[in-house]
Amino acid sequence: MEGTKKRKILLTGIVLIAVVSLAVGGYFTLRKGIYAGESFFYRISDARYEQNKSNYIERTTGSGFKIVADGEEKTVSVYENANLLVFSFSDGTSLEGSWDGEYLTDSQGFPVGWDEIQFSVNGEPIEAGISNAAYCQALCKIYFGKEETISVWYFSVIGILVYILGVVSILHPDEAHFFLSRWKYHNPELSETGRLMEQIGGVALCVLGVSIMSGILLVLVG
């Protein structure tokens, strides 16, 4: 009876960890929004996209936008000139290009801003904020309704499978180790050390599965 109770508690904990990880991952990596450079802005409403309260993009009119970066505001107006989209910034900058369905491209077919100079110290890039060219790419996605997500749904599926494999390795180390090869042995059985190593590997798989489901892995490798 006591063993059954402990098993139920263990299974409840395993399921709860998976559910929380999926909920966190879904909230932070599967919500729609747009990228501006390397920064992701979540859609808060049809007219507003936020990275945080001090950094957001807001559509003020059909072709007008307000950009707030670290509390500093600038406006952008967009208009079409022949086959070109022209972005006029309140700081006097003007950029133009053609929308190819994915990027705003220049006259040579390259994404606008692809040749921007990046400075680094000891190999580490210096954060210089989001450029106007990067904002143009983001505004195009809003303008044409091309929203995106940080991750994709099948990453969650991969995370679940890895997590389940880890759980099986912890709870049933012999079965997990000899899976698909049991037919080769008469009485396959791991030693105590072998079981411990299999379970340690299972813990590592569980951690990996949780990091995939929750989106932590994307943050670490991003």
Side-chain angles (χ1 to χ4, degrees):
M1 191 72 176
E2 187 68 24
T4 302
K5 184 178 180 180
K6 287 182 178 180
R7 190 173 183 85
K8 286 182 178 180
I9 293 173
L10 179 61
L11 290 175
T12 300
I14 290 170
V15 173
L16 185 60
I17 290 172
V19 170
V20 171
S21 298
L22 286 171
V24 170
Y27 183 77
F28 286 106
T29 68
L30 295 179
R31 289 162 61 201
K32 289 187 176 182
I34 54 166
Y35 272 104
E38 298 297 320
S39 302
F40 192 81
F41 290 72
Y42 293 101
R43 185 180 70 181
I44 305 302
S45 68
D46 289 341
R48 188 180 177 96
Y49 295 77
E50 284 187 4
Q51 183 183 25
N52 50 53
K53 295 299 181 182
S54 300
N55 295 271
Y56 62 87
I57 300 170
E58 191 170 59
R59 191 169 194 167
T60 52
T61 64
S63 58
F65 297 87
K66 178 174 71 175
I67 296 172
V68 176
D70 295 326
E72 297 186 6
E73 179 182 321
K74 58 183 172 183
T75 59
V76 189
S77 59
V78 185
Y79 62 91
E80 296 185 32
N81 181 14
N83 293 324
L84 297 176
L85 284 174
V86 181
F87 296 81
S88 181
F89 290 79
S90 56
D91 61 8
T93 304
S94 182
L95 295 171
E96 63 180 28
S98 301
W99 177 249
D100 67 359
E102 186 174 3
Y103 297 106
L104 182 71
T105 59
D106 59 21
S107 58
Q108 296 179 312
F110 294 107
V112 170
W114 71 274
D115 56 349
E116 289 180 332
I117 298 174
Q118 292 186 343
F119 297 96
S120 62
V121 175
N122 297 325
E124 293 294 325
I126 300 174
E127 295 292 337
I130 302 172
S131 67
N132 284 347
Y135 277 124
C136 285
Q137 298 291 353
L139 296 179
C140 275
K141 292 171 185 176
I142 298 175
Y143 194 77
F144 291 102
K146 295 291 184 179
E147 295 177 335
E148 51 200 333
T149 57
I150 293 176
S151 184
V152 288
W153 65 267
Y154 54 78
F155 263 49
S156 298
V157 176
I158 293 172
I160 291 171
L161 294 176
V162 172
Y163 183 71
I164 290 174
L165 183 58
V167 170
V168 172
S169 295
I170 295 171
L171 299 180
H172 305 285
D174 285 85
E175 288 80 355
H177 183 81
F178 292 107
F179 183 65
L180 296 181
S181 63
R182 182 173 291 273
W183 61 273
K184 297 179 182 179
Y185 307 95
H186 181 62
N187 289 311
E189 185 178 3
L190 291 171
S191 65
E192 290 299 318
T193 302
R195 288 193 184 93
L196 178 61
M197 295 304 296
E198 189 73 25
Q199 289 172 327
I200 291 174
V203 171
L205 286 174
C206 284
V207 172
L208 178 60
V210 167
S211 67
I212 295 173
M213 289 187 289
S214 64
I216 294 174
L217 186 64
L218 289 175
V219 175
L220 294 177
V221 302

